[in-house]
């Protein structure tokens, strides 16, 4: 509170000579858009509600309405999507569509990149039993088993040396 009082006293001391008439105030000294000198309070007068509503109705920017080719109102997101499709009508969709192909052992859908044309669960079982790898499902059973055998062989060699 003391800092606030100090600021107000400094402002009073600065503008008091102008207010009492000892110094002349020139409007060119300041860039503010004030009707009265800066040491006097500037009132803010609101316009009456009916004038305000009239001004809002006349001059306010309205929300932009988005319409499709038939003139139906649509969302902004849908409008952007239609524009994007119009720019590249022949562009393939990024995600492949799910096929109705099913795994021969179960009702699950086939993996797109599976080498054995199986679902993930059946492919995992097949790779485990037959010691195979499937890069489509990232099932690397054969590779991991080889790495484990090499690690075990190195470990036995180290124990034999010691």
């Amino acid at each position: 509170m003391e800092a606030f009082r100090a600021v107000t006293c400094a402002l009073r001391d600065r503008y008091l000579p102008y207010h009492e008439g000892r110094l002349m105030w020139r409007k060119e000294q300041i860039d503010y858009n004030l009707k009265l000198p800066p040491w006097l309070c500037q009132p803010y007068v609101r316009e009456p509600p009916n004038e305000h509503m009239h001004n809002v109705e006349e001059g306010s920017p309205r929300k932009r309405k988005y319409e499709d080719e038939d003139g139906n109102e649509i969302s902004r997101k849908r409008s952007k999507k239609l524009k994007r499709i119009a720019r590249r009508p022949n562009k393939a969709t990024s995600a492949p569509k799910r096929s109705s192909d099913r795994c021969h052992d179960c009702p699950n859908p086939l993996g797109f990149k599976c080498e054995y044309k199986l679902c993930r669960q059946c492919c995992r079982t097949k790779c485990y039993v037959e010691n195979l790898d499937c890069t489509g499902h990232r099932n690397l059973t054969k590779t991991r088993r080889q790495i484990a055998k090499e690690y075990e062989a190195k470990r036995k060699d180290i124990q034999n040396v010691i």
Side-chain angles (χ1 to χ4, degrees):
M1 205 59 174
E2 291 301 319
F4 182 73
R5 284 194 179 113
V7 169
T8 55
C9 289
L11 282 172
R12 184 194 63 202
D13 295 341
R14 181 175 179 181
Y15 289 115
L16 191 61
Y18 294 110
H19 185 66
E20 292 175 346
R22 288 182 276 156
L23 292 174
M24 263 330 248
W25 177 258
R26 285 179 268 143
K27 285 194 173 187
E28 298 87 34
Q29 290 177 341
I30 200 156
D31 295 347
Y32 306 119
N33 186 15
L34 301 175
K35 294 178 182 175
L36 298 174
W39 63 89
L40 298 176
C41 293
Q42 307 289 316
Y44 175 74
V45 180
R46 294 185 180 195
E47 56 190 16
N50 53 4
E51 284 183 32
H52 173 71
M53 292 306 292
H54 179 67
N55 292 341
V56 168
E57 289 173 1
E58 283 184 2
S60 68
R62 296 199 174 133
K63 278 189 170 183
R64 185 172 173 189
K65 301 219 177 188
Y66 298 97
E67 296 177 348
D68 61 1
E69 293 149 358
D70 301 329
N72 300 327
E73 190 173 328
I74 57 173
S75 67
R76 179 173 185 248
K77 186 175 183 179
R78 179 76 177 147
S79 171
K80 288 172 75 175
K81 185 174 184 177
L82 290 174
K83 286 179 186 176
R84 186 175 62 244
I85 291 170
R87 281 194 308 263
R88 292 181 163 187
N90 298 330
K91 182 181 175 189
T93 57
S94 60
K97 300 230 175 183
R98 285 275 178 197
S99 65
S100 61
D101 297 336
R102 302 283 179 203
C103 181
H104 68 278
D105 294 339
C106 63
N108 295 328
L110 297 180
F112 286 124
K113 300 176 185 176
C114 180
E115 299 170 12
Y116 310 110
K117 303 294 180 201
L118 297 171
C119 69
R120 186 178 184 92
Q121 294 170 342
C122 295
C123 182
R124 186 176 186 185
T125 306
K126 179 180 177 101
C127 289
Y128 184 77
V129 172
E130 298 178 17
N131 195 27
L132 301 170
D133 283 346
C134 177
T135 55
H137 285 121
R138 296 185 185 139
N139 187 355
L140 306 174
T141 306
K142 180 180 177 183
T143 307
R144 287 189 177 145
R145 285 180 180 170
Q146 286 176 348
I147 292 170
K149 286 178 185 176
E150 291 171 5
Y151 178 76
E152 188 63 31
K154 286 182 184 179
R155 198 167 144 225
K156 285 184 181 180
D157 287 345
I158 292 172
Q159 286 180 351
N160 289 338
V161 173
I162 295 177

